[in-house]
């Protein structure tokens, strides 16, 4: 578990000295908190640039990043996390449109063609297997708006290139050609390390988490590139920048570097820009999505995506469009801050090592749906290594989901699942197959997910339940046997099995992650413009360091001494905000302790 001590373990105090109150947030989600900022960030911007809320009109499916160049200066707009088609009207002033499409397992290798849909994956799987990039980005997110993008000078940045960014760029060029518009489309390439596979096998590389040796059946290897190549592509005049694998926050930091001219050793600024990207990289997760106090978040069906107004000094204000659902508060933003973060004092990124332990989140009054000011990110030099996300094939799996109704549904469901496994194991032994590598039986409705803490019902339990039966085997043929033996349970086992959700279970390859570090000096990053190679991006290693810095833990306020002592029992959700995430095989729960005084009954 990760505990963010400063920004999370203590509710932040604004400069006016008023602590936000967790309770009492109304439908609009604005706590009454004093601070030294104007009631609206737009008050700091020239009136003619205040277009900030005029063009989403209640749809709320886009994240936007505003860059406030300076006081009363012009505003540049960045749209973030665009994936599907939405009826939007782009602002008249030029902006960046930023799309993030890659999930952990979605960068796979063209020609090897396996996509495991049992993990979250935002790609159109079948087309991705053939094309190697995200087709929906081209056909759905870009093609309908290509004329508006060109006419209004919008600059687009996306990691939708997958493992074939040049093909993605070519498809975009074809869209532009058909629309009769001239666009400069850049590609950042060089993240794919598969050409080094044989050299790496004997290099003694081990997994960062498990210590496992480098796999023989490696399937893909991609470096998490940073923001500098994106910034350079924009410097070269690119209207659209397509990348393969890169860190999510880099797609925000890149335009910030380009716009503000942040240097490689402006570590605090780079950390602040990375924090802005980190908070909005999962869209509505910072505007009330999957929030601990979910019951306080209104209108999920129309949830607003985040807006970030960032200054050249690195501080930023996070809000959302008016007339949209969701909620922005200390809690919703603080939860996302620790999402998949690991050590908050040493968050390793390609461009900067971030220290988020002293970040403050201060609620701002007067906003429909809430707003917060975020500041306090600190940075240190990045390391001389890139992190690599590799995948390897580890057998096959399938999952059967079957509703069961009638008296004693739980007992029937469990016996049915066990009988299916017993029957398939008998067939395995007859055909010379090994046993399953792993099986998982859960009966939804029986509180199996709670394990020994389940609350068992009396009188035979519920009258409906759902079998969730998953299997893993080294051989595809064995899993196909399992898939074919689900339907016979409907006529040969317990009464009440009413169907198979999704039909016959689909057999999927299991791709497991393998993480390691790789020297930046060994990675060649190539920049292309309109299909032509224009330059090799040189990573300046002068501003890197592998020295591990010791941090002093923040001091905890003496007011914590007033907390009640003695034997008390609370639910965790009453004491802390929590946010779960996963990186590969590692699931984590991050906690943000709410240390306001507890009222005792």
């Amino acid at each position: 578990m990760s505990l963010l001590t400063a920004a999370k373990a203590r509710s932040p105090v604004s400069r006016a000295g008023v602590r936000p109150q967790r309770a009492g947030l109304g439908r609009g989600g604005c706590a009454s908190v004093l601070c030294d900022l104007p009631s609206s960030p737009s008050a700091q911007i020239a009136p003619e640039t205040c277009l900030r809320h005029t063009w989403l009109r209640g749809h709320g499916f886009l994240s936007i990043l505003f860059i406030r160049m300076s006081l009363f200066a012009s505003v540049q707009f960045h749209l973030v996390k665009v994936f599907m088609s939405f009826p939007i009207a782009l602002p008249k002033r030029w902006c960046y449109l930023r799309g993030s499409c890659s999930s952990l397992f979605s960068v796979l290798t063209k020609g090897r063609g396996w996509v495991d849909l049992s993990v979250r994956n935002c790609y159109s799987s079948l087309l991705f297997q053939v094309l190697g990039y995200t087709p929906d980005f081209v056909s759905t997110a870009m093609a309908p708006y290509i004329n508006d993008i060109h006419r209004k000078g919008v600059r687009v940045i996306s990691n939708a290139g997958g493992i074939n960014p040049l093909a993605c760029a070519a498809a975009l060029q074809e869209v532009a050609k058909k629309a009769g518009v001239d666009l400069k489309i850049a590609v950042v390439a060089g993240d794919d390390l598969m050409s080094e596979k044989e050299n790496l096998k004997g290099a003694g590389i081990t997994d960062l988490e498990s210590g496992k040796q480098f796999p023989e059946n490696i399937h893909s290897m991609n470096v998490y590139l940073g923001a500098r190549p994106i910034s350079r592509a924009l410097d070269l005049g690119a209207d659209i920048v397509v990348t393969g694998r890169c860190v999510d926050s880099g797609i925000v930091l890149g335009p910030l570097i380009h716009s503000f001219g942040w240097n490689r050793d402006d570590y605090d600024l780079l950390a602040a820009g990375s924090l802005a990207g980190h908070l909005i990289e999962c869209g509505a997760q910072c505007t009330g999505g999957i929030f601990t106090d979910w019951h306080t978040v209104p209108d999920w069906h129309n949830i607003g995506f985040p807006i970030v107004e960032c200054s050249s000094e690195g501080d930023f204000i996070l809000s959302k469009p008016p007339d949209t659902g969701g909620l922005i508060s200390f809690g919703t933003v603080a939860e996302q801050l620790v999402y998949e973060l690991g050590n908050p004092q040493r968050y390793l990124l390609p461009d900067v090592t971030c220290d988020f332990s002293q970040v403050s989140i201060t609620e701002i009054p007067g906003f429909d749906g809430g707003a917060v000011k975020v500041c306090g990110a600190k940075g240190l030099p990045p390391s001389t290594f890139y992190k690599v996300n590799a995948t390897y094939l580890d057998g096959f799996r399938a999952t059967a989901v079957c509703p069961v109704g009638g008296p004693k549904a739980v007992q029937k469901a469990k016996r049915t699942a066990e009988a299916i496994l017993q029957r398939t194991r008998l067939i395995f032994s007859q055909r010379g197959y090994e046993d399953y590598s792993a099986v998982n039986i859960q009966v939804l409705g029986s509180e199996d997910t709670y394990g020994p803490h389940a609350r068992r019902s009396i009188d035979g339990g519920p009258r409906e339940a759902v079998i969730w039966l998953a299997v893993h085997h080294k051989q595809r043929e064995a899993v196909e046997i399992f898939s074919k033996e689900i339907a016979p349970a409907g006529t040969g086992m317990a009464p009440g099995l009413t169907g198979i959700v999704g039909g016959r279970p689909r057999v999927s390859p299991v791709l497991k992650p393998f993480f390691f570090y790789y020297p930046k000096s060994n990675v060649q990053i190539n920049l292309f413009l309109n299909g032509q190679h224009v330059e090799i991006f040189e990573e300046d290693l002068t501003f890197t360091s592998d020295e591990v810095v010791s941090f002093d833990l923040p001091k905890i306020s003496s007011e914590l001494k007033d907390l009640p002592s003695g034997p008390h029992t609370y639910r965790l959700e009453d004491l802390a905000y929590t946010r779960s995430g996963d990186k590969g095989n590692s699931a984590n729960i991050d906690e943000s302790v709410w240390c306001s005084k507890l009222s005792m009954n």
Side-chain angles (χ1 to χ4, degrees), residues 2-341:
S2 173
L3 178 63
L4 190 54
T5 54
K8 306 298 289 178
R10 289 183 292 125
S11 176
V13 179
S14 70
R15 294 178 186 173
V18 178
R19 185 183 301 280
Q21 297 299 310
R22 188 182 186 199
L25 296 183
R27 181 176 175 82
C30 262
S32 179
V33 183
L34 299 177
C35 63
D36 62 350
L37 293 173
S39 59
S40 168
S42 298
Q44 301 184 32
I45 307 172
E48 64 271 17
T49 67
C50 297
L51 305 174
R52 57 191 304 278
H53 287 153
T54 62
W55 44 283
L56 283 176
R57 290 301 179 195
H59 296 293
F61 295 109
L62 305 177
S63 298
I64 312 147
L65 173 63
F66 293 82
I67 298 181
R68 191 171 66 251
M69 296 294 290
S70 61
L71 219 58
F72 302 106
S74 64
V75 179
Q76 303 163 3
F77 299 88
H78 295 241
L79 279 66
V80 184
K81 285 276 187 189
V82 176
F83 180 58
M84 298 303 290
S85 175
F86 305 106
I88 64 172
L90 294 171
K92 294 182 179 179
R93 306 184 72 86
W94 68 279
C95 64
Y96 297 95
L97 178 64
R98 179 263 197 191
S100 178
C101 299
S102 292
S103 66
L104 183 63
F105 285 89
S106 57
V107 177
L108 303 174
T109 305
K110 184 184 179 184
R112 291 183 284 275
W114 289 316
V115 175
D116 184 3
L117 296 183
S118 59
V119 297
R120 52 190 173 90
N121 194 331
C122 60
Y123 288 100
S124 295
S125 59
L126 296 179
L127 284 176
F128 182 82
Q129 293 178 50
V130 176
L131 302 174
Y133 64 87
T134 312
D136 288 349
F137 169 71
V138 176
S139 62
T140 307
M142 292 294 292
Y145 310 111
I146 197 71
N147 285 299
D148 283 338
I149 286 170
H150 175 261
R151 184 175 64 256
K152 298 179 180 181
V154 178
R155 304 176 79 179
V156 180
I157 305 164
S158 177
N159 59 0
I163 47 80
N164 201 0
L166 286 169
C168 181
L172 287 169
Q173 200 67 262
E174 188 65 25
V175 168
K177 181 180 178 181
K178 289 181 179 179
V181 298
D182 182 23
L183 293 172
K184 294 181 179 179
I185 303 176
V187 170
V188 176
D191 62 294
D192 189 353
L193 293 184
M194 283 300 288
S195 62
E196 298 296 315
K197 180 174 67 172
E198 295 304 318
N199 295 332
L200 294 174
K201 282 184 177 180
I205 293 174
T206 57
D207 182 79
L208 292 175
E209 298 175 357
S210 67
K212 178 183 174 69
Q213 294 295 315
F214 193 81
E216 284 291 327
N217 51 346
I218 202 75
H219 185 72
S220 68
M221 288 190 295
N222 295 87
V223 170
Y224 284 96
L225 296 179
R228 288 284 168 185
I230 295 172
S231 174
R232 178 57 183 158
L234 294 171
D235 293 343
L236 293 172
D239 300 302
I240 300 174
V241 181
V242 177
T243 78
R245 170 66 77 189
C246 66
V247 291
D248 287 342
S249 58
I251 307 179
V252 171
L253 181 59
L256 290 169
I257 293 172
H258 168 72
S259 299
F260 293 144
W262 289 345
N263 296 318
R264 294 178 184 271
D265 58 352
D266 288 331
Y267 302 124
D268 289 352
L269 295 175
L270 297 175
S274 299
L275 176 57
H278 173 72
L279 288 177
I280 65 176
E281 70 182 37
C282 293
Q285 281 190 195
C286 71
T287 60
I290 63 173
F291 183 40
T292 299
D293 291 346
W294 56 268
H295 53 279
T296 67
V297 181
D299 301 331
W300 289 343
H301 69 284
N302 188 37
I303 195 165
F305 272 35
I307 297 172
V308 173
E309 296 175 78
C310 185
S311 77
S312 59
E313 290 76 30
D315 61 303
F316 58 90
I317 293 170
L318 197 156
S319 62
K320 68 180 185 66
D323 303 320
T324 60
L327 169 68
I328 290 187
S329 67
F330 165 74
T332 62
V333 177
E335 279 193 9
Q336 186 60 20
L337 175 57
V338 295
Y339 176 70
E340 297 184 345
L341 192 61

Side-chain angles (χ1 to χ4, degrees), residues 445-523:
S446 69
E447 297 202 359
D448 272 359
T449 55
Y450 287 87
H453 304 289
R455 297 173 180 172
R456 304 299 180 184
S457 302
I458 59 175
D459 299 328
R463 291 179 295 175
E464 60 181 9
V466 177
I467 300 172
W468 185 284
L469 176 58
V471 298
H472 178 206
H473 200 282
K474 294 179 181 179
Q475 295 176 265
R476 174 184 284 273
E477 294 78 6
V479 183
E480 288 175 345
I481 291 172
F482 166 83
S483 178
K484 294 174 182 177
E485 289 300 323
I486 302 301
T491 56
M493 297 184 186
L497 196 151
T498 59
I500 305 172
V501 177
R504 177 181 288 183
R506 190 178 62 85
V507 178
S508 300
V510 176
L511 291 171
K512 289 190 175 180
F514 184 92
F515 296 104
F516 62 95
Y517 291 134
Y518 191 72
K520 289 180 178 177
S521 57
N522 293 351
V523 177

Side-chain angles (χ1 to χ4, degrees), residues 395-396 418 420-439 470-475 478-479 482:
F396 300 84
E418 291 165 356
I420 291 172
L421 293 177
Q422 188 175 6
R423 180 182 178 88
T424 53
R425 281 171 170 145
L426 179 61
I427 298 174
F428 289 176
S429 65
Q430 294 172 345
R431 300 190 182 183
Y433 295 138
E434 295 181 9
D435 194 7
Y436 292 109
S437 303
V439 298
V471 298
H472 178 206
H473 200 282
K474 294 179 181 179
Q475 295 176 265
V479 183
F482 166 83

